[in-house]
Structures are given as C-alpha cells and as structure tokens.
C-alpha cells in the first residue's frame, strides 16, 4: 500500500482532512497519519492479524523542507521513518540502532520470517540481530561518502546488463 498525500510540497488535502492546525501540510500529515492508524487498527482486529507483519517505511525524508525549518532550529533531525508491527522474529535488543536504508532489505525479510545464512544481505544488516550495521561501523557520514562514489562494476553489471546471460 502506498500513501502519497504528504509526498510533495504542501501535500494533498483530501476531502476527509480536517483543518486542525491552520496550515495545509500540517493538516495533510495529520490526516494521512489518521488514515494509516485506522487501517492498522482494522488489520489488528482481523483474524489474519496473528500471522500478519506490517512494515511501514518511508523512502525518503519529506520533500516539503520549509515546513521543518522552525522544528529543525530546536535541534530536531529529520530522518526517514521505518517501523515493523507484529514481526515473526524478536529482536536481540531493544536498543536504538544506527542504520540506513540498505538495512531495510534484510530486516524486512527477517520480520516476515525469512531466514538466511548470514545477518547481512547485500550491504544491509538484519536489525533484529546484534550484528553491527555499516552505519554503526563506519559512521553515517563515511557510509554516505562511500555510497556516493562511482562504481564501474555497477555501471557494467546493473545499469547496462553487460555480462548477463
């Protein structure tokens, strides 16, 4: 399921949105959150919920950057959103982790009950384990710098499919 009402500057104010906050984007965030919350509550009341994992993941920070200006002045750091409800696995620890989007791949699979021979898949680390993520090992800034580098291998194998059978 995709929600996109908050995806662009100002957001999309649907017919069900209520003016609670006096500005459109605040109302869109509130309305979208309410819809997602109601959907999750509905799922939790269904007989299939016992065998259902809900993954909520944002693919990037909000694109409406000016809405956050006054909040960021208070020291708030914008981050992407990721949570898992009713996973098929229990985390080794409840401590916060330093992670990046590359960790969503193995973590999501593990939350669904998929097992694999390592705590890592591709560049990501399964956050249900105590294995350190690349962001924890290198730091977020260094990981970002490394991921920004050009890759001839990626160009040849992934982008252009050279060498594929």
């Amino acid at each position: 399921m995709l929600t996109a009402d908050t995806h662009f500057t100002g957001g999309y104010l649907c017919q069900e949105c209520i003016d609670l906050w006096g500005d459109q984007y605040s109302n869109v965030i509130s309305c979208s959150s309410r819809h997602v919350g109601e959907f999750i509550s509905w799922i939790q009341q269904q007989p299939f919920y016992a065998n259902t994992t809900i993954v909520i993941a944002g693919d990037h920070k909000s694109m409406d950057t000016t809405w956050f200006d006054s909040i960021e002045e208070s020291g708030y750091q914008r981050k992407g959103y990721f949570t898992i409800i009713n996973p098929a696995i229990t985390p080794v620890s409840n401590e916060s982790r330093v992670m990046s989007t590359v960790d969503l791949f193995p973590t999501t699979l593990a939350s669904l009950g998929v097992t694999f021979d390592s705590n890592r898949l591709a560049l990501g680390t399964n956050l249900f384990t105590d294995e350190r993520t690349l962001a924890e090992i290198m730091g977020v800034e260094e990981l970002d710098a490394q991921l920004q580098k050009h890759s001839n291998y990626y160009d040849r194998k992934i982008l252009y499919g050279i060498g594929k059978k």
Side-chain angles (χ1 to χ4, degrees):
M1 180 175 146
L2 169 69
T3 62
D5 292 358
T6 62
H7 198 262
F8 54 92
T9 303
Y12 172 73
L13 199 62
C14 78
Q15 297 173 357
E16 297 178 27
C17 291
I18 303 165
D19 187 0
L20 296 173
W21 306 103
D23 72 276
Q24 180 166 318
Y25 201 58
S26 296
N27 290 322
V28 170
I29 291 171
S30 179
C31 186
S32 181
S33 296
R34 181 173 46 83
H35 286 152
V36 170
E38 289 171 354
F39 181 63
I40 291 168
S41 293
W42 178 82
I43 291 173
Q44 290 172 325
Q45 295 169 18
Q46 304 310 307
F48 59 79
Y49 177 67
N51 192 30
T52 300
T53 299
I54 301 169
V55 178
I56 303 172
D59 60 337
H60 55 79
K61 297 186 270 186
S62 170
M63 293 171 34
D64 192 335
T65 57
T66 58
W67 187 86
F68 294 89
D69 287 347
S70 62
I71 299 170
E72 288 175 336
E73 289 173 6
S74 68
Y76 171 78
Q77 289 185 322
R78 293 176 47 208
K79 297 178 182 178
Y81 187 81
F82 179 69
T83 194
I84 298 173
I85 301 169
N86 201 31
I89 186 173
T90 303
V92 171
S93 169
N94 287 327
E95 292 185 30
S96 291
R97 303 289 305 270
V98 179
M99 48 84 68
S100 67
T101 55
V102 298
D103 301 310
L104 302 185
F105 171 47
T107 303
T108 299
L109 288 178
S111 77
L112 299 172
V114 176
T115 57
F116 30 96
D117 295 336
S118 170
N119 292 327
R120 295 186 193 280
L121 289 176
L123 296 176
T125 302
N126 176 0
L127 296 170
F128 286 96
T129 69
D130 58 2
E131 182 96 20
R132 293 176 67 204
T133 66
L134 290 178
E136 290 168 333
I137 294 167
M138 304 170 76
V140 173
E141 293 79 17
E142 179 61 21
L143 175 59
D144 186 50
Q146 292 296 322
L147 291 173
Q148 298 291 329
K149 290 184 176 180
H150 181 263
S151 168
N152 289 329
Y153 175 84
Y154 181 84
D155 287 351
R156 277 192 320 274
K157 300 289 184 175
I158 309 299
L159 288 181
Y160 305 114
I162 298 171
K164 290 186 178 179
K165 294 182 180 182

